[in-house]
Amino acid sequence: MHHTMKRILISPSSEKPFPTVFMWLMTSYVAFLINEEYKHYIEKRVNFLMKDTIFIHPQQNYSIMVEGIPQHLRSDRALYEFFDKIFPGKVHSTCTVLNVDDLEIAYDNRTMIRNRLEKAIAYEMAMRRRPIHVFGRGMQAFAGIETMKSYGSAPTWTGLNLSDLSREPNWGERVDSISYYERELERANIQVKTLQQEKITFANANNSFNIEKSYVAQVMDRVAESIKADLSGEEDQAIESQERPNKSFSCIKLITKFGFDFLFVSVKYFYGHMDLKAEKEVAATPVSSNAFVTFTDLASATCASSAPLCSDDIAVSVAPEPRDV
């Protein structure tokens, strides 16, 4: 009970200044540190806003990220022509994002094999003997790090002779870890390289032709254009520019007059999201509905990221930093 506030209050007056002075000194020191940290933060913040940084690519400032792209625009050429019509001569390049789930799985598998090979080599350098593991037996992992367990018996699969290279190890067979993972890493490299070439070939072939809109999408676009023309007072001019007979669009005009225009917008919204849902869960198409567009000036990039581009459900935003993608 000698270090409580009650003790300080009832103690002689000669003992009161010491705790008070200590608290004042501690508070002053903490305030000094906070003030210095604020000065350091302001300096770094000003340098970040005023000067170019080496870890941020300048192309990010001129690029936008486009999400929810319809099927007929899911190619670099089609997307480039679409934005070039809106911003003539201001588009530098476009890049559609591919669905590379199989490539990501192969890359993760190669990374796992590489880590195991590095661990086996480190084990040999530390223990002065080659590590041996049992084929088919899983490795224990703690906090995402696999443990390295070596068996003392001589391996029956060494990977150094033709008989071992021409066959796969049997389940439960003792194998030389370094030889085994070297062979598996070579196979994984070939698999990753093959998948990369397939994706590049597909991307180049996808840009060689234009994907036409489906019939339902064309009907929905015509309905949306008719509603927009009706609301802007230019319906007659919009109807004459269509290829279909005027009679079919007069029915649409009659329906919109009764206030059913929201029904067409709802159906189009549902159709667009149903298309994206089918792409993610059923179709798994190689080309995704996302892309990046780079402009030649900041004004076009700012305008494209803030202004509505078309009637389709396309979401446009400023491109994130490459490290965040």
Side-chain angles (χ1 to χ4, degrees), residues 76-174:
D76 293 345
R77 190 182 72 173
L79 194 63
Y80 181 91
E81 294 175 354
F82 172 78
F83 278 94
D84 190 64
K85 291 179 181 179
I86 304 176
F87 305 96
K90 300 296 183 181
V91 182
H92 177 269
S93 61
T94 58
C95 180
T96 54
V97 180
L98 300 180
N99 292 323
V100 290
D101 296 338
D102 51 349
L103 182 58
E104 291 180 358
I105 294 175
Y107 179 80
D108 293 340
N109 181 59
R110 184 181 67 172
T111 303
M112 179 189 66
I113 296 174
R114 183 202 62 191
N115 294 338
R116 291 182 177 180
L117 177 60
E118 292 177 351
K119 188 173 297 185
I121 295 175
Y123 181 91
E124 181 187 19
M125 296 180 63
M127 304 301 294
R128 302 300 179 183
R129 61 187 180 90
R130 296 176 71 87
I132 302 169
H133 71 276
V134 178
F135 180 76
R137 181 176 298 179
M139 294 186 178
Q140 297 180 353
F142 178 76
I145 302 176
E146 293 182 341
T147 59
M148 185 68 190
K149 184 177 181 181
S150 179
Y151 298 88
S153 303
T156 57
W157 190 94
T158 59
L160 301 177
N161 48 52
L162 296 178
S163 61
D164 290 342
L165 295 176
S166 61
R167 69 179 182 89
E168 295 292 334
N170 298 323
W171 189 270
E173 186 177 4
R174 295 187 305 274

Side-chain angles (χ1 to χ4, degrees), residues 1 6 49 55 58 95 100 108 111 117 130 142 161 186 189 225 252 259 264 269 272 280-281 293 295 305 307 312 314:
M1 300 297 292
K6 183 178 180 180
L49 296 176
F55 55 85
C95 180
V100 290
D108 293 340
T111 303
L117 177 60
R130 296 176 71 87
F142 178 76
N161 48 52
E186 184 178 356
N189 290 333
E225 292 175 0
I252 296 176
F264 290 97
Y269 177 84
K280 294 180 179 180
E281 298 186 1
V293 181
F295 295 89
S305 62
D312 293 321
I314 298 180

Side-chain angles (χ1 to χ4, degrees), residues 23-37:
M23 286 187 291
W24 274 104
L25 292 177
M26 189 65 183
T27 305
S28 302
Y29 179 69
V30 172
F32 172 76
L33 292 179
I34 294 176
N35 184 52
E36 292 297 321
E37 288 297 327

